[in-house]
């Protein structure tokens, strides 16, 4: 079975923490996600992991329904306990 390939733009910016230490922040605007790392390689590895998790979430109809219901609750001013992403992915 051939592995599917996806191409997304990722921008990595060097930032400085409050203690002066450098940190690299990776942004994927197409998915609206970001991650970080102590160097460019770690930031890239972390954003790839975040992109994979986002893809898994978006390909699960049950999870997407939960997200839609939560968004509607927020729009209506209702609050709701939302599970951590890791809890959702274990289902």
């Amino acid at each position: 079975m051939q592995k599917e390939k996806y191409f997304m733009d990722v921008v990595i910016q060097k930032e400085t923490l409050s203690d002066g230490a450098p940190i690299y922040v990776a942004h994927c605007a197409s998915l609206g996600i970001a991650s970080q790392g102590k160097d460019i390689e770690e930031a890239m590895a972390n954003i790839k992991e975040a992109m994979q998790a986002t893809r898994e979430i978006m390909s699960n109809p049950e999870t997407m329904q939960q997200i839609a219901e939560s968004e509607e609750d927020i729009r209506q001013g209702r609050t709701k306990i939302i599970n951590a992403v890791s809890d959702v992915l274990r289902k």
Side-chain angles (χ1 to χ4, degrees), residues 66-81:
Q66 289 176 336
I67 291 169
E69 289 170 4
S70 295
E71 289 174 345
E72 181 59 26
D73 285 339
I74 291 167
R75 278 192 292 279
Q76 297 297 324
R78 297 185 297 261
T79 58
K80 186 176 190 178
I81 297 173

Side-chain angles (χ1 to χ4, degrees), residues 5-87:
K5 291 185 180 184
Y6 297 90
F7 297 92
M8 299 274 176
D9 290 329
V10 172
V11 176
I12 299 178
Q13 295 177 302
K14 184 177 180 181
E15 305 276 339
T16 304
L17 296 173
S18 60
D19 66 359
I23 191 157
Y24 294 84
V25 181
H27 301 270
C28 177
S30 300
L31 296 175
I33 59 173
S35 193
Q36 63 188 26
K38 66 179 184 282
D39 53 38
I40 292 172
E41 292 77 19
E42 184 176 284
M44 195 65 192
N46 290 342
I47 196 70
K48 284 180 181 179
E49 183 179 335
M51 292 167 78
Q52 178 62 32
T54 300
R55 184 175 173 273
E56 289 174 20
I57 289 168
M58 293 175 76
S59 66
N60 182 325
E62 182 180 317
T63 302
M64 292 306 294
Q65 180 62 35
Q66 289 176 336
I67 291 169
E69 289 170 4
S70 295
E71 289 174 345
E72 181 59 26
D73 285 339
I74 291 167
R75 278 192 292 279
Q76 297 297 324
R78 297 185 297 261
T79 58
K80 186 176 190 178
I81 297 173
I82 299 172
N83 292 328
V85 170
S86 59
D87 292 340

